[in-house]
Amino acid sequence: AQTVTQSQPEMSVQEAETVTLSCTYDTSESDYYLFWYKQPPSRQMILVIRQEAYKQQNATENRFSVNFQKAAKSFSLKISDSQLGDAAMYFCAYRNHPNAGGTSYGKLTFGQGTILTVHP
Amino acid sequence: DAGITQSPRHKVTETGTPVTLRCHQTENHRYMYWYRQDPGHGLRLIHYSYGVKDTDKGEVSDGYSVSRSKTEDFLLTLESATSSQTSVYFCAIKHRVSTEAFFGQGTRLTVV
């Protein structure tokens, strides 16, 4: 079974600064997807960024980028130019590739979450 | 939001009573999921469905049952609620085109 670990329960950053959230995972699969989700106080789950394991290039979405280290099974999220609206709980998540087969395709395994506080 | 609606949004119930949570989707997605969110655990999969009347257990399925008699509705039932089932429950779908997961707004359930 896959596991996802977020070792930072809480992080804080000053507005306009950069912060990195850590995530490690364990899997025996070679093809899979990794995600970062944002959960603001509204409780809505919002997809921030997605990485496909077979792609060596790190994914970026505007101020959000990842450092994907496949051999080390590490998947960190960097938020640049932090804004007050970035304050939220962030979850790292893993999903099998369709080639893994079975009906469980699509289910997500989540880390414990990291609460990010942004100070003005 | 991929047309996902959860009901109710909030519920307080007594220990030992049955509770049913509903997830409704309007876009004909095949895969649907129920997760629970608890502090220190993130979201954990309870049950999932890969088609009408096709369901399977997740990692925390004890004390829960599900039913999917039509594509648009996925019901989660707590047969006899316990205080350990106090949690926030999320329904999700795997989008049939993008394959991304989309979540409902969540249901906060309190068992007293």
Coordinates of all heavy atoms in Angstrom, one line a residue, chain B residues 7-91:
Chain B
S7 N -25.2 16.4 0.9 CA -26.2 16.8 1.8 C -26.3 15.8 2.9 O -26.1 14.6 2.7 CB -27.6 17.0 1.1 OG -28.0 15.7 0.5
P8 N -26.6 16.2 4.2 CA -26.6 17.6 4.6 C -25.2 18.2 4.7 O -24.2 17.5 4.5 CB -27.3 17.6 6.0 CG -26.8 16.2 6.5 CD -26.8 15.3 5.3
R9 N -25.1 19.5 4.9 CA -23.8 20.1 5.1 C -23.3 20.0 6.5 O -22.1 19.9 6.8 CB -23.8 21.6 4.7 CG -24.1 21.8 3.2 CD -22.9 21.4 2.3 NE -21.7 21.9 2.8 CZ -21.2 23.1 2.5 NH1 -22.0 24.0 1.8 NH2 -20.1 23.5 3.0
H10 N -24.3 20.0 7.4 CA -23.9 19.8 8.8 C -25.0 18.9 9.5 O -26.2 19.0 9.1 CB -24.0 21.2 9.6 CG -23.1 22.2 9.0 ND1 -21.8 22.3 9.4 CD2 -23.3 23.1 8.1 CE1 -21.2 23.3 8.7 NE2 -22.1 23.8 7.9
K11 N -24.5 18.1 10.4 CA -25.5 17.2 11.1 C -25.0 16.9 12.5 O -23.8 16.5 12.6 CB -25.8 15.9 10.3 CG -26.9 15.1 10.9 CD -27.3 14.0 10.0 CE -28.5 13.2 10.7 NZ -29.7 14.0 10.8
V12 N -25.8 16.9 13.5 CA -25.5 16.5 14.8 C -26.5 15.3 15.1 O -27.7 15.4 14.9 CB -25.7 17.6 15.8 CG1 -25.4 17.0 17.2 CG2 -24.8 18.8 15.5
T13 N -26.0 14.2 15.5 CA -26.8 13.0 15.8 C -26.3 12.4 17.0 O -25.3 12.6 17.6 CB -26.7 12.0 14.6 OG1 -27.7 11.0 14.7 CG2 -25.3 11.4 14.6
E14 N -27.2 11.5 17.6 CA -26.9 10.8 18.8 C -26.2 9.4 18.6 O -26.5 8.8 17.5 CB -28.1 10.6 19.6 CG -28.7 12.0 20.1 CD -29.9 11.8 21.1 OE1 -30.4 10.6 21.2 OE2 -30.3 12.8 21.7
T15 N -25.4 9.0 19.5 CA -24.8 7.7 19.4 C -25.9 6.6 19.2 O -26.9 6.7 19.9 CB -24.0 7.5 20.7 OG1 -22.9 8.4 20.8 CG2 -23.3 6.1 20.6
G16 N -25.6 5.7 18.3 CA -26.5 4.6 18.1 C -27.5 4.8 17.0 O -28.2 3.9 16.6
T17 N -27.7 6.0 16.5 CA -28.7 6.3 15.5 C -28.1 6.1 14.1 O -26.9 6.3 13.9 CB -29.2 7.7 15.6 OG1 -28.1 8.6 15.4 CG2 -29.9 8.0 16.9
P18 N -28.9 5.7 13.1 CA -28.4 5.6 11.8 C -28.3 7.0 11.1 O -29.1 7.8 11.4 CB -29.5 4.7 11.1 CG -30.7 4.9 11.9 CD -30.3 5.2 13.3
V19 N -27.4 7.1 10.2 CA -27.2 8.4 9.5 C -26.8 8.1 8.1 O -26.0 7.2 7.8 CB -26.0 9.2 10.1 CG1 -25.8 10.5 9.3 CG2 -26.3 9.5 11.6
T20 N -27.4 8.8 7.2 CA -27.1 8.6 5.7 C -26.7 10.0 5.2 O -27.4 11.0 5.3 CB -28.3 8.1 4.9 OG1 -28.6 6.7 5.4 CG2 -27.9 8.0 3.4
L21 N -25.5 10.0 4.5 CA -25.1 11.2 3.8 C -25.2 10.9 2.3 O -24.9 9.8 1.8 CB -23.6 11.4 4.2 CG -23.2 11.5 5.7 CD1 -21.8 11.9 5.8 CD2 -24.1 12.5 6.4
R22 N -25.6 12.0 1.6 CA -25.8 11.8 0.2 C -24.8 12.6 -0.6 O -24.5 13.8 -0.3 CB -27.2 12.3 -0.2 CG -27.6 12.2 -1.6 CD -28.9 12.8 -1.9 NE -29.4 12.6 -3.3 CZ -29.9 13.5 -4.1 NH1 -30.2 14.7 -3.5 NH2 -30.3 13.3 -5.3
C23 N -24.3 12.0 -1.7 CA -23.5 12.7 -2.7 C -24.2 12.7 -4.0 O -24.5 11.5 -4.5 CB -22.1 12.1 -2.8 SG -21.1 12.9 -4.0
H24 N -24.5 13.8 -4.6 CA -25.2 13.9 -5.9 C -24.3 14.6 -6.9 O -23.8 15.6 -6.7 CB -26.5 14.6 -5.7 CG -27.3 14.8 -6.9 ND1 -28.0 13.7 -7.5 CD2 -27.5 15.8 -7.8 CE1 -28.6 14.2 -8.6 NE2 -28.3 15.4 -8.8
Q25 N -24.2 13.9 -8.1 CA -23.4 14.6 -9.2 C -24.3 14.6 -10.5 O -25.2 13.8 -10.7 CB -22.1 13.8 -9.4 CG -22.3 12.3 -9.7 CD -21.8 11.8 -11.0 OE1 -21.6 12.6 -11.9 NE2 -21.5 10.6 -11.1
T26 N -24.0 15.6 -11.3 CA -24.9 15.9 -12.4 C -24.2 15.6 -13.8 O -24.8 15.9 -14.8 CB -25.4 17.3 -12.4 OG1 -24.3 18.2 -12.4 CG2 -26.2 17.6 -11.1
E27 N -23.0 15.1 -13.7 CA -22.2 15.0 -15.0 C -21.9 13.6 -15.4 O -20.9 13.4 -16.2 CB -21.0 15.9 -14.9 CG -21.3 17.4 -14.6 CD -20.1 18.3 -14.6 OE1 -18.9 17.7 -14.7 OE2 -20.2 19.5 -14.4
N28 N -22.5 12.6 -14.8 CA -22.4 11.2 -15.3 C -21.0 10.7 -15.1 O -20.5 9.9 -16.0 CB -22.8 11.2 -16.8 CG -23.2 9.8 -17.2 OD1 -23.7 9.0 -16.4 ND2 -22.9 9.4 -18.4
H29 N -20.3 11.0 -14.0 CA -19.0 10.5 -13.8 C -19.1 9.1 -13.2 O -20.0 8.8 -12.4 CB -18.2 11.4 -12.8 CG -18.0 12.8 -13.3 ND1 -17.3 13.1 -14.4 CD2 -18.6 13.9 -12.9 CE1 -17.3 14.4 -14.6 NE2 -18.1 14.9 -13.7
R30 N -18.2 8.2 -13.7 CA -18.3 6.8 -13.3 C -17.8 6.6 -11.8 O -18.4 5.8 -11.1 CB -17.5 5.9 -14.3 CG -17.5 4.4 -13.9 CD -16.6 3.7 -14.9 NE -16.5 2.3 -14.5 CZ -15.7 1.4 -15.0 NH1 -14.8 1.8 -15.9 NH2 -15.6 0.2 -14.5
Y31 N -16.7 7.2 -11.5 CA -16.0 6.9 -10.2 C -16.4 7.9 -9.2 O -16.3 9.1 -9.4 CB -14.5 6.9 -10.4 CG -13.9 5.7 -11.1 CD1 -13.9 5.7 -12.5 CD2 -13.4 4.7 -10.4 CE1 -13.3 4.7 -13.2 CE2 -12.8 3.6 -11.1 CZ -12.8 3.6 -12.5 OH -12.3 2.5 -13.2
M32 N -16.8 7.4 -8.0 CA -17.2 8.3 -6.9 C -16.5 7.7 -5.6 O -16.4 6.5 -5.5 CB -18.7 8.4 -6.7 CG -19.4 9.0 -7.9 SD -21.2 9.2 -7.7 CE -21.2 10.6 -6.6
Y33 N -16.2 8.6 -4.7 CA -15.5 8.3 -3.5 C -16.1 9.0 -2.3 O -16.5 10.1 -2.3 CB -14.0 8.7 -3.6 CG -13.4 8.2 -4.9 CD1 -13.5 9.0 -6.1 CD2 -12.6 7.1 -5.0 CE1 -12.9 8.6 -7.3 CE2 -12.0 6.7 -6.2 CZ -12.2 7.4 -7.3 OH -11.6 7.0 -8.5
W34 N -15.9 8.3 -1.1 CA -16.2 8.9 0.2 C -14.9 8.9 1.0 O -14.3 7.8 1.2 CB -17.3 8.2 0.9 CG -18.7 8.6 0.6 CD1 -19.6 7.8 -0.2 CD2 -19.4 9.8 0.9 NE1 -20.8 8.5 -0.3 CE2 -20.7 9.7 0.3 CE3 -19.0 10.9 1.6 CZ2 -21.6 10.8 0.5 CZ3 -19.9 12.0 1.7 CH2 -21.2 11.9 1.2
Y35 N -14.5 10.1 1.5 CA -13.4 10.2 2.4 C -13.9 10.9 3.7 O -14.9 11.6 3.7 CB -12.3 11.2 1.8 CG -11.7 10.7 0.5 CD1 -12.2 11.0 -0.7 CD2 -10.5 10.0 0.6 CE1 -11.6 10.6 -1.9 CE2 -9.8 9.6 -0.6 CZ -10.4 9.9 -1.8 OH -9.8 9.5 -3.0
R36 N -13.1 10.6 4.7 CA -13.3 11.3 6.0 C -12.0 12.1 6.3 O -10.9 11.6 6.0 CB -13.7 10.4 7.1 CG -12.7 9.3 7.5 CD -13.2 8.5 8.7 NE -13.1 9.3 10.0 CZ -13.6 8.9 11.2 NH1 -14.2 7.7 11.3 NH2 -13.4 9.7 12.2
Q37 N -12.1 13.3 6.9 CA -11.0 14.1 7.2 C -10.9 14.3 8.7 O -11.9 14.8 9.3 CB -11.1 15.5 6.6 CG -9.9 16.4 6.9 CD -10.0 17.7 6.2 OE1 -10.9 18.1 5.5 NE2 -9.0 18.6 6.5
D38 N -9.8 13.9 9.3 CA -9.6 14.1 10.7 C -8.2 14.7 11.0 O -7.3 14.4 10.2 CB -9.7 12.7 11.4 CG -10.9 11.9 11.1 OD1 -12.0 12.4 11.7 OD2 -10.9 11.0 10.4
P39 N -8.1 15.5 12.0 CA -6.8 16.1 12.3 C -5.7 15.1 12.5 O -5.9 14.1 13.2 CB -7.1 16.9 13.6 CG -8.6 17.1 13.6 CD -9.2 15.9 12.9
G40 N -4.6 15.4 11.9 CA -3.5 14.5 12.0 C -3.5 13.3 11.0 O -2.5 12.5 11.0
H41 N -4.6 13.1 10.3 CA -4.8 12.0 9.4 C -5.0 12.4 7.9 O -5.0 11.6 7.1 CB -5.9 11.1 9.8 CG -5.6 10.4 11.1 ND1 -4.9 9.2 11.2 CD2 -6.0 10.7 12.4 CE1 -4.9 8.9 12.5 NE2 -5.5 9.7 13.2
G42 N -5.2 13.6 7.7 CA -5.6 14.0 6.3 C -6.9 13.5 5.9 O -7.8 13.3 6.8
L43 N -7.1 13.1 4.7 CA -8.3 12.5 4.2 C -8.0 11.0 4.0 O -7.0 10.6 3.4 CB -8.7 13.1 2.9 CG -9.5 14.4 2.9 CD1 -8.5 15.6 3.2 CD2 -10.2 14.7 1.6
R44 N -8.9 10.2 4.4 CA -8.8 8.8 4.3 C -10.0 8.2 3.6 O -11.1 8.6 3.9 CB -8.6 8.1 5.7 CG -7.3 8.4 6.3 CD -7.2 7.8 7.7 NE -8.2 8.4 8.6 CZ -8.4 8.0 9.9 NH1 -7.7 6.9 10.3 NH2 -9.2 8.6 10.7
L45 N -9.8 7.2 2.7 CA -10.8 6.7 1.9 C -11.7 5.7 2.7 O -11.2 4.8 3.3 CB -10.2 6.0 0.7 CG -11.2 5.4 -0.4 CD1 -12.0 6.5 -1.0 CD2 -10.4 4.5 -1.4
I46 N -13.0 5.9 2.6 CA -13.9 5.0 3.3 C -14.4 3.9 2.3 O -14.3 2.7 2.6 CB -15.1 5.8 3.8 CG1 -14.7 7.0 4.7 CG2 -16.1 4.9 4.6 CD1 -15.8 7.9 5.1
H47 N -15.1 4.3 1.3 CA -15.6 3.4 0.2 C -15.5 4.2 -1.1 O -15.4 5.4 -1.1 CB -17.0 3.1 0.5 CG -17.3 2.0 1.5 ND1 -17.1 0.7 1.2 CD2 -17.7 2.1 2.8 CE1 -17.4 0.0 2.3 NE2 -17.8 0.8 3.3
Y48 N -15.5 3.4 -2.2 CA -15.6 4.0 -3.5 C -16.5 3.2 -4.4 O -16.8 2.0 -4.1 CB -14.2 4.2 -4.1 CG -13.5 2.9 -4.4 CD1 -13.4 2.4 -5.7 CD2 -12.7 2.3 -3.4 CE1 -12.7 1.3 -6.0 CE2 -12.0 1.1 -3.7 CZ -12.0 0.6 -5.0 OH -11.3 -0.5 -5.2
S49 N -16.9 3.8 -5.5 CA -17.7 3.1 -6.5 C -17.2 3.3 -7.9 O -16.7 4.4 -8.2 CB -19.1 3.7 -6.4 OG -19.9 3.2 -7.4
Y50 N -17.2 2.3 -8.6 CA -16.7 2.4 -10.0 C -17.8 2.1 -11.0 O -17.6 1.8 -12.2 CB -15.5 1.4 -10.3 CG -15.7 0.0 -9.7 CD1 -16.2 -1.0 -10.6 CD2 -15.4 -0.3 -8.4 CE1 -16.3 -2.3 -10.1 CE2 -15.6 -1.6 -7.9 CZ -16.0 -2.6 -8.8 OH -16.2 -3.9 -8.3
G51 N -19.1 2.2 -10.5 CA -20.2 2.1 -11.4 C -21.5 1.8 -10.6 O -21.4 1.5 -9.4
V52 N -22.6 1.8 -11.2 CA -23.9 1.5 -10.5 C -23.8 0.1 -9.9 O -23.5 -0.8 -10.6 CB -25.1 1.6 -11.5 CG1 -26.3 1.2 -10.8 CG2 -25.2 3.1 -12.0
K53 N -24.1 0.1 -8.7 CA -24.1 -1.2 -7.9 C -22.7 -1.8 -7.7 O -22.6 -2.9 -7.2 CB -25.1 -2.2 -8.4 CG -26.5 -1.7 -8.4 CD -27.5 -2.8 -8.8 CE -28.9 -2.2 -8.7 NZ -29.9 -3.2 -9.2
D54 N -21.6 -1.1 -8.2 CA -20.3 -1.6 -8.0 C -19.5 -0.7 -7.0 O -19.2 0.4 -7.3 CB -19.5 -1.5 -9.4 CG -20.1 -2.5 -10.4 OD1 -20.4 -3.6 -9.9 OD2 -20.1 -2.2 -11.6
T55 N -19.3 -1.3 -5.8 CA -18.6 -0.6 -4.8 C -17.5 -1.4 -4.2 O -17.5 -2.7 -4.3 CB -19.6 -0.1 -3.7 OG1 -20.1 -1.3 -3.0 CG2 -20.7 0.7 -4.3
D56 N -16.6 -0.8 -3.5 CA -15.5 -1.5 -2.8 C -15.1 -0.7 -1.6 O -15.3 0.5 -1.5 CB -14.3 -1.8 -3.7 CG -13.5 -3.0 -3.3 OD1 -13.8 -3.5 -2.2 OD2 -12.7 -3.4 -4.1
K57 N -14.4 -1.4 -0.7 CA -14.0 -0.8 0.6 C -12.7 0.0 0.4 O -11.8 -0.4 -0.4 CB -13.8 -1.9 1.6 CG -15.0 -2.6 2.0 CD -14.7 -3.7 3.0 CE -15.9 -4.5 3.4 NZ -15.7 -5.5 4.4
G58 N -12.6 1.0 1.2 CA -11.3 1.8 1.3 C -10.6 1.4 2.6 O -10.9 0.3 3.2
E59 N -9.7 2.2 3.1 CA -8.9 1.9 4.2 C -9.6 2.0 5.6 O -9.1 1.4 6.6 CB -7.6 2.7 4.2 CG -7.8 4.2 4.4 CD -6.5 5.0 4.4 OE1 -5.7 4.7 5.2 OE2 -6.4 5.9 3.6
V60 N -10.7 2.7 5.7 CA -11.3 2.9 7.0 C -12.8 2.6 6.8 O -13.7 3.5 7.1 CB -11.1 4.3 7.5 CG1 -9.7 4.5 8.0 CG2 -11.5 5.4 6.5
S61 N -13.2 1.5 6.3 CA -14.6 1.1 6.0 C -15.4 0.6 7.1 O -16.6 0.5 7.0 CB -14.6 0.2 4.8 OG -13.9 -1.0 5.2
D62 N -14.8 0.2 8.2 CA -15.5 -0.4 9.3 C -16.6 0.6 9.9 O -16.2 1.7 10.2 CB -14.6 -0.8 10.4 CG -13.8 -2.1 10.1 OD1 -14.1 -2.7 9.1 OD2 -12.8 -2.4 10.8
G63 N -17.8 0.1 10.0 CA -18.9 0.9 10.5 C -19.6 1.7 9.5 O -20.6 2.4 9.8
Y64 N -19.2 1.6 8.2 CA -19.8 2.3 7.1 C -20.3 1.3 6.0 O -19.7 0.3 5.8 CB -18.8 3.3 6.5 CG -18.2 4.3 7.4 CD1 -17.0 4.1 8.0 CD2 -18.9 5.5 7.6 CE1 -16.4 5.0 8.8 CE2 -18.3 6.5 8.4 CZ -17.1 6.2 9.0 OH -16.6 7.2 9.8
S65 N -21.4 1.7 5.4 CA -21.8 1.0 4.2 C -22.2 2.0 3.1 O -22.4 3.2 3.4 CB -23.0 0.1 4.4 OG -24.1 0.8 4.9
V66 N -22.2 1.6 1.9 CA -22.5 2.5 0.8 C -23.5 1.9 -0.2 O -23.6 0.7 -0.2 CB -21.3 3.0 0.0 CG1 -20.4 3.9 0.8 CG2 -20.5 1.8 -0.5
S67 N -24.1 2.7 -1.0 CA -25.0 2.2 -2.0 C -25.0 3.2 -3.2 O -24.9 4.4 -3.0 CB -26.4 2.0 -1.5 OG -27.0 3.2 -1.2
R68 N -25.1 2.6 -4.4 CA -25.1 3.4 -5.6 C -26.1 2.7 -6.6 O -25.7 1.8 -7.3 CB -23.8 3.5 -6.2 CG -23.7 4.6 -7.3 CD -22.3 4.9 -7.7 NE -22.3 6.0 -8.8 CZ -21.3 6.1 -9.5 NH1 -20.2 5.4 -9.4 NH2 -21.3 7.1 -10.5
S69 N -27.3 3.1 -6.4 CA -28.4 2.5 -7.3 C -28.6 3.2 -8.6 O -29.2 2.7 -9.5 CB -29.7 2.5 -6.5 OG -30.1 3.8 -6.1
K70 N -28.0 4.4 -8.7 CA -28.0 5.2 -10.0 C -26.7 6.0 -10.1 O -26.1 6.3 -9.0 CB -29.3 6.0 -10.1 CG -29.6 6.9 -8.9 CD -31.0 7.6 -9.1 CE -31.3 8.4 -7.9 NZ -32.6 9.1 -8.1
T71 N -26.4 6.3 -11.3 CA -25.1 7.0 -11.5 C -24.9 8.2 -10.7 O -23.8 8.5 -10.1 CB -24.9 7.3 -13.0 OG1 -25.0 6.1 -13.8 CG2 -23.6 8.0 -13.3
E72 N -25.9 9.0 -10.5 CA -25.7 10.3 -9.9 C -25.7 10.4 -8.4 O -25.3 11.4 -7.8 CB -26.9 11.3 -10.4 CG -28.3 10.8 -10.2 CD -28.8 10.1 -11.4 OE1 -28.1 9.3 -12.0 OE2 -30.1 10.2 -11.6
D73 N -26.1 9.3 -7.7 CA -26.1 9.3 -6.3 C -25.3 8.2 -5.7 O -25.3 7.1 -6.0 CB -27.6 9.1 -5.8 CG -28.4 10.4 -6.0 OD1 -27.9 11.5 -6.0 OD2 -29.6 10.2 -6.3
F74 N -24.5 8.6 -4.7 CA -23.6 7.7 -3.9 C -23.9 8.0 -2.4 O -23.6 9.1 -1.9 CB -22.2 8.0 -4.3 CG -21.2 6.9 -3.8 CD1 -21.6 5.6 -3.6 CD2 -19.9 7.3 -3.5 CE1 -20.7 4.7 -3.2 CE2 -19.0 6.3 -3.0 CZ -19.4 5.0 -2.9
L75 N -24.5 7.0 -1.7 CA -24.9 7.2 -0.4 C -24.0 6.5 0.6 O -23.5 5.4 0.4 CB -26.3 6.7 -0.2 CG -27.4 7.2 -1.1 CD1 -28.8 6.5 -0.8 CD2 -27.6 8.7 -1.0
L76 N -23.7 7.3 1.7 CA -22.8 6.7 2.8 C -23.7 6.6 4.0 O -24.3 7.6 4.4 CB -21.7 7.6 3.0 CG -20.7 7.2 4.2 CD1 -19.9 6.0 3.8 CD2 -19.8 8.4 4.6
T77 N -23.8 5.4 4.6 CA -24.6 5.1 5.7 C -23.7 4.7 6.9 O -22.9 3.8 6.8 CB -25.7 4.0 5.4 OG1 -26.5 4.5 4.4 CG2 -26.5 3.7 6.7
L78 N -24.0 5.3 8.0 CA -23.5 4.9 9.3 C -24.6 4.1 10.0 O -25.6 4.7 10.4 CB -23.0 6.0 10.2 CG -21.8 6.8 9.7 CD1 -22.0 7.6 8.4 CD2 -21.4 7.8 10.8
E79 N -24.5 2.8 10.1 CA -25.7 2.0 10.6 C -26.0 2.4 12.0 O -27.2 2.4 12.4 CB -25.4 0.5 10.5 CG -25.1 0.1 9.0 CD -26.4 0.1 8.1 OE1 -27.5 0.2 8.7 OE2 -26.2 0.0 6.9
S80 N -25.0 2.6 12.8 CA -25.2 2.9 14.2 C -24.0 3.9 14.6 O -22.9 3.4 14.9 CB -25.2 1.7 15.1 OG -25.3 2.0 16.5
A81 N -24.3 5.1 14.6 CA -23.2 6.1 14.7 C -22.5 6.0 16.1 O -23.2 5.8 17.1 CB -23.8 7.5 14.5
T82 N -21.2 6.2 16.0 CA -20.4 6.3 17.2 C -19.6 7.6 17.3 O -19.4 8.2 16.3 CB -19.4 5.1 17.3 OG1 -18.4 5.3 16.3 CG2 -20.1 3.8 17.1
S83 N -19.1 7.9 18.5 CA -18.4 9.2 18.6 C -17.2 9.2 17.8 O -16.7 10.3 17.3 CB -18.1 9.5 20.1 OG -17.3 8.4 20.6
S84 N -16.6 8.1 17.5 CA -15.4 8.0 16.7 C -15.6 8.3 15.2 O -14.7 8.5 14.4 CB -14.7 6.6 16.8 OG -15.6 5.6 16.2
Q85 N -16.9 8.4 14.8 CA -17.3 8.8 13.5 C -17.6 10.3 13.3 O -18.0 10.7 12.2 CB -18.5 7.9 13.0 CG -18.1 6.5 12.9 CD -19.3 5.6 12.5 OE1 -20.4 5.7 13.1 NE2 -19.1 4.7 11.5
T86 N -17.4 11.0 14.4 CA -17.4 12.5 14.3 C -16.3 12.9 13.4 O -15.1 12.6 13.6 CB -17.3 13.1 15.7 OG1 -18.4 12.8 16.4 CG2 -17.1 14.6 15.5
S87 N -16.6 13.6 12.3 CA -15.6 13.9 11.3 C -16.2 14.8 10.2 O -17.4 15.2 10.3 CB -15.1 12.6 10.6 OG -14.0 12.8 9.8
V88 N -15.4 15.2 9.3 CA -15.8 15.9 8.1 C -15.7 14.9 7.0 O -14.7 14.3 6.7 CB -15.0 17.1 7.8 CG1 -15.5 17.8 6.5 CG2 -15.1 18.2 8.9
Y89 N -16.8 14.7 6.3 CA -16.9 13.7 5.2 C -17.0 14.4 3.8 O -17.7 15.4 3.6 CB -18.2 12.9 5.4 CG -18.1 12.0 6.6 CD1 -18.5 12.5 7.9 CD2 -17.6 10.7 6.5 CE1 -18.3 11.6 9.0 CE2 -17.5 9.9 7.6 CZ -17.9 10.3 8.8 OH -17.8 9.5 9.9
F90 N -16.1 14.0 3.0 CA -16.0 14.5 1.6 C -16.4 13.4 0.6 O -15.9 12.3 0.7 CB -14.6 15.0 1.3 CG -14.3 16.3 1.9 CD1 -13.6 16.4 3.1 CD2 -14.7 17.5 1.3 CE1 -13.3 17.6 3.7 CE2 -14.3 18.7 1.9 CZ -13.7 18.8 3.1
C91 N -17.2 13.8 -0.4 CA -17.5 13.0 -1.5 C -16.6 13.6 -2.7 O -16.3 14.8 -2.7 CB -18.9 13.2 -1.9 SG -19.4 12.4 -3.5

